[in-house]
Structure formats: structure tokens, C-alpha cells
Amino acid sequence: ILPVAIDYYDHKIVEAWKRMHAEEQIDYIMTSQLIWETMEEENLLIDHNFLEYRIRHLVYSGVFEMKGIPKNRRRYFVRLK
């Protein structure tokens, strides 16, 4: 096990969003789909709750824009600003 910085996976999340956007040609992508895509494409063995935490951090940091109800990951969508 190697320790990494807390923002280590942020660029992988953004890259997964860009791939999904290019394939599907939609602006807002469901957060649960983005988490799954990130885990699948990068072969990550990481808790999905941590990736959702990082997505919310990216929203609050201004990297992503959110639409919907952030009650659970199936009720809100994100897009790159």
C-alpha cells in the first residue's frame, strides 16, 4: 500500500468525465455513472464513497458544475465548467 495525496484521483475523475462527454455528447453526466466509469477505466480498487467525496470537492472548488439534488449520487449530475 502506497500513500498518495488526497487529490491524487482528481485528474482521473476529470479525464473519465471528458471520455464520457466525448462518447455520449451530453453536458451533464450522472455522478453514479462517472464514479463507475472512473473505477472501471482506471481499474481502481477504491471505495466509491471516496470518489463521490472528491467529485463534490471538485464541484465546490469550481472544476465541476452540479445540477440536481446532491442527496445521493443518482440524483445529481455534473459537468465541467
Side-chain angles (χ1 to χ4, degrees):
I1 298 176
L2 297 173
V4 295
I6 196 164
D7 62 349
Y8 180 79
Y9 295 104
D10 291 0
H11 74 281
K12 295 179 185 292
I13 294 168
V14 172
E15 290 302 316
W17 185 92
K18 288 178 181 178
R19 280 193 306 271
M20 292 177 74
H21 175 68
E23 292 171 6
E24 299 177 23
Q25 295 297 316
I26 55 175
D27 286 334
Y28 284 94
I29 296 175
M30 186 183 299
T31 305
S32 61
Q33 292 175 331
L34 179 57
I35 291 169
W36 177 254
E37 182 76 17
T38 303
M39 292 175 71
E40 187 178 72
E41 289 293 318
E42 301 294 335
N43 293 318
L44 298 178
L45 299 174
I46 191 169
D47 185 24
H48 54 86
N49 292 314
F50 178 74
L51 290 177
E52 183 179 12
Y53 161 74
R54 292 311 302 166
I55 290 171
R56 286 181 186 227
H57 176 79
L58 291 170
V59 168
Y60 300 139
S61 298
V63 176
F64 282 133
E65 184 176 309
M66 179 176 64
K67 177 176 84 170
I69 304 166
K71 187 172 184 176
N72 75 36
R73 64 184 66 96
R74 291 187 181 108
R75 295 191 179 247
Y76 70 99
F77 302 79
V78 293
R79 77 171 181 177
L80 210 53
K81 275 191 168 181

